[in-house]
Amino acid sequence: MRAITLGPDDPVVLMRAGWSLCFVGYHDEGIRYTETAVIKAPGSGNTHHYHGMSNFVSNRLDAALSKFETAERLMPGGHINWTMKLQASHVKMSRDCWAEAETDIDRCSVLIPAYSYARVIKAIICLRQGRASEAQQQIRDARLLGAELPSILWFDRVLAAKLPGYERRNSDISALWAATEPNV
């Protein structure tokens, strides 16, 4: 928290310190910092992005979606917009809004085509919509991009463990992985 002491009015310090606090479980304190960053720099897409991520990991999903939308509007074509689409897809999946989640994950994949985790999320969406063969192809594609199951499960836990439906999704990822083992 030395950064806060040195830069208590700096929006960059506030947004990053707040995000860090939320990421390690100090949600209320972290949200206060990212919210202050937004107040101090309301025209910054980055402050809205970090506030959205902080709300996301704090399971304040409506606030997260709102901040992601604002951030994307403030920085169209921004290099981090793929992360907001990824997180928005998680929120929409947890609400069983599969078509909307698919639109978001497809936009994420357009912005960062070699991101294997996006293929895994797309696979879950396909599976839930009754497109099992397409889901398996997405997992095969993720494998070709270098994805490994332990890393995928760890990352999914970090991002989505607090969201409704996480346990089922985790199980589905493992089942899809097993079903797409080479020579199976």
Side-chain angles (χ1 to χ4, degrees), residues 44-113:
S44 165
N46 279 330
T47 60
H48 289 275
H49 174 244
Y50 274 83
H51 192 40
M53 291 187 337
S54 296
N55 278 290
F56 179 80
V57 299
S58 302
N59 209 23
R60 298 171 182 171
L61 304 179
D62 290 329
L65 285 176
S66 173
K67 288 294 141 188
F68 293 151
E69 289 169 8
T70 302
E72 200 170 6
R73 181 178 47 75
L74 290 170
M75 49 185 192
H79 71 284
I80 57 173
N81 287 357
W82 66 271
T83 65
M84 294 179 279
K85 289 297 155 196
L86 172 69
Q87 291 161 328
S89 72
H90 280 295
V91 172
K92 292 168 185 172
M93 287 169 57
S94 74
R95 294 176 173 171
D96 294 329
C97 298
W98 300 104
E100 292 176 28
E102 187 168 19
T103 298
D104 285 331
I105 205 62
D106 287 347
R107 288 201 50 220
C108 173
S109 291
V110 166
L111 294 169
I112 186 165

Side-chain angles (χ1 to χ4, degrees), residues 127-161:
L127 188 65
R128 289 299 187 328
Q129 293 182 318
R131 301 177 349 235
S133 62
E134 189 178 345
Q136 289 180 1
Q137 186 57 53
Q138 290 294 327
I139 295 296
R140 285 187 200 95
D141 291 346
R143 286 173 177 270
L144 288 173
L145 290 169
E148 297 177 351
L149 183 59
S151 297
I152 292 294
L153 293 176
W154 175 84
F155 193 67
D156 197 59
R157 184 179 68 246
V158 167
L159 277 182

Side-chain angles (χ1 to χ4, degrees), residues 1-78:
M1 295 315 299
R2 183 176 169 152
I4 295 290
T5 302
L6 295 173
D9 294 321
D10 185 330
V12 173
V13 169
L14 293 166
M15 71 183 190
R16 292 197 174 154
W19 160 242
S20 297
L21 286 165
C22 287
F23 192 77
V24 297
Y26 294 95
H27 302 289
D28 292 336
E29 186 176 1
I31 293 288
R32 280 194 305 275
Y33 283 124
T34 58
E35 186 172 35
T36 302
V38 167
I39 291 167
K40 290 186 175 294
S44 165
N46 279 330
T47 60
H48 289 275
H49 174 244
Y50 274 83
H51 192 40
M53 291 187 337
S54 296
N55 278 290
F56 179 80
V57 299
S58 302
N59 209 23
R60 298 171 182 171
L61 304 179
D62 290 329
L65 285 176
S66 173
K67 288 294 141 188
F68 293 151
E69 289 169 8
T70 302
E72 200 170 6
R73 181 178 47 75
L74 290 170
M75 49 185 192

